[in-house]
Amino acid sequence: MGGFEGRRAAFGPFGPGGPGFGPGPWGPRGRGGPRGRARRGDVRASILALLKERSMHGYEMIQEIAERSGGAWKPSPGSVYPTLQLLEDEGLIVSESEGGKKLFALTDSGRAAAEEGSDAPWEEASRGVDWEALGEIRQAGFGLMEAFGQVWKTGSKEQREKALAVVNDARKKLYLILADEH
């Protein structure tokens, strides 16, 4: 087991990948990233709430929701753009082209619908997230990867094999916790 694939195999789908660890609670897609693990919020209500404040592009809405939910939820373009089209079909929003992008705004009936809804529907996505524990998990994961990387870069073949065995054993033990076996 050499090179990148050998190292990746030691961690299953969790790494080591590029920046972050890939899917999971510690990677760029964790905390509700595009295919999020956190609860997904209400895309429709979030769009209406954002457009109460000002006109926005679809991509801008995605970024705003991610920021306002503290990173707990970042809706995918595949959920935002069809919702925008649906809201436009319902006459709640209108769009105009601006530099090759669509700028969306509420219509009068859209403003009325938005006023009936929540001012911050994205907050629901971040409720119940234990940010302190998430930070500890992230630190532990980074620490493990740093140690493993150090052994991989500077260790002998035997040391690498031992490190790989330790990581594989740790992964198995973590899954056993879920299986409630000791």
Side-chain angles (χ1 to χ4, degrees):
M1 285 195 137
F4 175 78
E5 287 307 315
R7 286 182 302 214
R8 185 157 184 82
F11 293 93
F14 302 113
F21 287 108
W26 40 78
R29 294 186 172 195
R31 297 198 299 177
R35 322 281 176 264
R37 302 285 187 253
R39 267 179 291 192
R40 292 169 190 260
D42 183 336
V43 175
R44 180 187 177 94
S46 296
I47 290 170
L48 291 173
L50 287 174
L51 292 178
K52 269 198 285 193
E53 297 173 18
R54 63 181 169 85
S55 298
M56 287 188 199
H57 300 286
Y59 177 76
E60 226 180 331
M61 292 179 213
I62 293 169
Q63 297 305 109
E64 282 289 324
I65 292 168
E67 193 175 303
R68 294 177 190 210
S69 70
W73 174 46
K74 183 177 181 184
S76 70
S79 64
V80 170
Y81 290 104
T83 304
L84 287 167
Q85 184 61 58
L86 186 66
L87 290 168
E88 199 166 10
D89 291 347
E90 292 174 14
L92 299 178
I93 63 173
V94 291
S95 65
E96 63 180 66
S97 285
E98 181 188 76
K101 294 179 181 176
K102 277 187 171 184
L103 185 66
F104 296 91
L106 291 173
T107 61
D108 289 341
S109 56
R111 184 157 301 282
E115 292 301 332
E116 291 173 16
S118 167
D119 285 335
W122 42 81
E123 288 178 356
E124 179 61 31
S126 63
R127 275 196 200 108
V129 175
D130 185 342
W131 297 109
E132 192 173 322
L134 201 58
E136 290 172 13
I137 290 167
R138 193 175 245 154
Q139 281 303 114
F142 285 133
L144 175 64
M145 288 305 299
E146 191 175 345
F148 182 77
Q150 200 62 34
V151 173
W152 203 261
K153 286 178 197 160
T154 62
S156 67
K157 184 177 192 265
E158 291 77 26
Q159 289 170 324
R160 287 180 180 185
E161 287 171 2
K162 283 181 186 175
L164 198 56
V166 166
V167 170
N168 279 327
D169 187 51
R171 182 172 40 89
K172 288 174 191 162
K173 286 180 178 177
L174 288 171
Y175 280 121
L176 287 175
I177 290 170
L178 289 176
D180 207 20
E181 296 173 16
H182 304 286

